[in-house]
Amino acid sequence: MAAGTPGDDVRVSVLITSYDHEAFIGQAIEGVLEQRGVGPIELVVGDDCSSDGTRAVIEGYARRHPGRVVPFFPERNMGGGGKALYAELVRRSRGRFIAGMDGDDYWTSPDKLATQLDHLDRTPGCTMVFHNAVRRTDDGSVPDALYNPPDQARTIPYADWFEQNPVASCTPVFRREVLDPLPPWYLELPWGDLPLYLLAAAEGEVHYLPDVMGVYRLHGGGMFSGLSALRQETLDVEFFRGLSGVVPPQHDRYRRRRLAVAEARLAHQLALTGDHQAAADHLAESFRTWPLDVPRLRPGRGELRRVALWLDLHTRSRGRWSRDGGAAR
């Protein structure tokens, strides 16, 4: 059967995206090879032209496990922070379900896939299921901690994705129809994980399992953790702006409120650098996007944080601020 053609002979495809993960990729692959009780597994490992020895490690596993480990090595970096590579792996995969992870994370339970696939089989309205994981700092500077708290909700409504993202990226399993094909706008956004969860939430229910079955690794080479706070907030603004026209109309008010929070957080970071004019502009845009006098949709930490940031920036500014967030001239 041709690659990329879904078939009954492959129940689940596992997609691993890697870039400069020589020290980690072996552990990621091993966790997939140890899975049991799920029938045929297709493991596709894509490397986005790493500058270290990642490809050599992947090639070694492909030689030792022919037909079980399928490498994909593009001739040049595909760009987009790994999103283009992921989209290509989705296109090439054949499984009725799709799991995945970055090459620096790994699974710790050989029953991870069996547990999640059983849940999906029993709940046809569920389009994606994820689980708890350990958040681990690679240098040991911070003690291990669980990614999700004990009171994590078991079902995540669409609106809640704009409050916070509760998913460690090594944990979800999707129904294939959620991700294939990925829409063109996916490649245009800064972040690659949350759009996948929004696609799943738009098609059905997203469920959480409290089982701890993976490790989400934090290290200096990580795509997100390696960014400055200013860059992170800038990309957040770009992300929630970019979702305009993508989010279903009945939910767009949640996107706008989250964009307002992102604008305020960016304003705060700009103020810390001393760029008070740019901070004023973004704070004004925050309150134009979601004024304070708009009725609250529901209690949320993001909205409270936005007000706290407004007060902080107001204190830092030498000028006087009007109620809509604009600086008095």
Side-chain angles (χ1 to χ4, degrees), residues 298-311:
R298 67 169 69 179
R301 290 184 299 173
E303 181 71 3
L304 297 175
R305 182 180 298 152
R306 184 171 74 120
V307 174
L309 289 169
W310 182 90
L311 292 172

Side-chain angles (χ1 to χ4, degrees), residues 191 228-238 258 261-263 265-266 269:
W191 309 129
S228 68
L230 178 60
R231 184 59 179 160
Q232 289 177 19
E233 303 301 349
T234 299
L235 292 176
D236 255 6
V237 168
E238 292 179 13
R258 183 60 182 83
V261 172
E263 292 276 11
R265 290 171 63 96
L266 177 55
Q269 290 299 322

Side-chain angles (χ1 to χ4, degrees), residues 83 102 165 167-169 174 186 191-198 216:
K83 293 189 300 298
D102 294 328
N165 177 5
V167 182
S169 58
F174 302 86
Y186 172 74
W191 309 129
D193 293 335
L194 183 55
L196 305 179
Y197 314 150
L198 290 173
Y216 177 80

Side-chain angles (χ1 to χ4, degrees), residues 73-275:
F73 297 151
E75 294 182 359
R76 60 182 61 86
N77 186 283
M78 299 182 71
K83 293 189 300 298
L85 176 62
Y86 181 79
E88 179 63 19
L89 297 188
V90 170
R91 189 186 71 81
R92 289 170 172 265
S93 67
R94 298 179 295 153
R96 288 177 285 131
F97 300 95
I98 295 177
M101 72 182 105
D102 294 328
D104 51 353
D105 299 328
Y106 61 98
W107 298 341
T108 55
S109 169
D111 298 312
K112 170 201 152 64
L113 288 179
T115 300
Q116 291 177 276
L117 294 182
D118 178 66
H119 182 86
L120 288 164
D121 286 340
R122 288 186 290 105
T123 52
C126 176
T127 51
M128 169 189 138
V129 59
F130 68 104
H131 58 80
N132 209 344
V134 172
R135 190 194 305 264
R136 176 165 297 163
T137 303
D138 192 56
D139 61 5
S141 59
V142 178
D144 286 357
L146 291 181
Y147 199 93
N148 300 105
D151 61 349
Q152 173 64 56
R154 295 298 186 95
T155 300
I156 317 298
Y158 194 96
D160 285 10
W161 294 103
F162 296 98
E163 291 291 336
Q164 61 176 337
N165 177 5
V167 182
S169 58
C170 60
T171 67
V173 176
F174 302 86
R175 297 188 187 276
R176 181 177 194 87
E177 54 268 27
V178 170
L179 303 182
D180 185 22
L182 285 167
W185 54 259
Y186 172 74
L187 298 176
E188 299 172 1
L189 297 173
W191 309 129
D193 293 335
L194 183 55
L196 305 179
Y197 314 150
L198 290 173
L199 287 170
E203 296 295 327
E205 293 187 347
V206 175
H207 293 172
Y208 165 74
L209 304 177
D211 309 67
V212 180
M213 298 187 288
V215 170
Y216 177 80
R217 201 189 313 254
L218 296 170
H219 59 93
M223 187 183 75
F224 185 81
S225 57
L227 298 175
S228 68
L230 178 60
R231 184 59 179 160
Q232 289 177 19
E233 303 301 349
T234 299
L235 292 176
D236 255 6
V237 168
E238 292 179 13
F239 177 78
F240 290 106
R241 284 179 181 172
L243 286 176
S244 177
V246 171
V247 173
Q250 67 270 30
H251 297 302
D252 193 58
R253 62 191 186 278
Y254 299 106
R255 179 198 66 85
R256 288 188 292 107
R257 187 177 67 176
R258 183 60 182 83
L259 173 58
V261 172
E263 292 276 11
R265 290 171 63 96
L266 177 55
H268 177 68
Q269 290 299 322
L270 288 164
L272 293 177
T273 69
D275 192 344

